[in-house]
Amino acid sequence: GFAELITHGEDGFVFSSGDSRGLAGIIDSLVKDSSRIAILGDRARGLYEQYLTLDKFTRRWMSLMEASPSPKKAIVTKMF
């Protein structure tokens, strides 16, 4: 998932679903040091461009599909 791509505090933040205290802490840290927002945004954009553009995602997906074993061809029989 996306959490594996993110380096917490460097190019984004990772917190558990439902962890409102964790999210509040992140927001509080950004309010206290708003200069980090632009830096995080630039790094997050780099992460997106490296892994998540449609072109890069499609290429990775196709590479995985080509590397996987071919599915067996289905045999279709006609019932009379």
Side-chain angles (χ1 to χ4, degrees):
F2 293 116
E4 288 81 24
L5 293 175
I6 297 170
T7 302
H8 186 80
E10 296 291 321
D11 51 23
F13 295 98
V14 179
F15 56 95
S16 299
S17 177
D19 182 8
S20 58
R21 287 181 190 225
L23 177 57
I26 291 166
I27 293 169
D28 187 55
S29 72
L30 292 172
V31 167
K32 290 178 180 174
D33 186 8
S34 61
S35 64
R36 290 181 58 208
I37 295 172
I39 295 167
L40 284 163
D42 288 342
R43 290 178 181 166
R45 178 66 182 200
L47 188 66
Y48 163 78
E49 291 172 351
Q50 183 177 359
Y51 295 105
L52 301 172
T53 64
L54 181 59
D55 181 56
K56 297 224 174 149
F57 183 82
T58 301
R59 286 181 192 200
R60 239 184 338 278
W61 180 259
M62 293 304 295
S63 175
L64 288 171
M65 293 295 103
E66 290 169 0
S68 68
S70 298
K72 294 180 181 178
K73 292 185 177 182
I75 300 173
V76 179
T77 58
K78 193 173 190 178
M79 303 292 284
F80 294 98

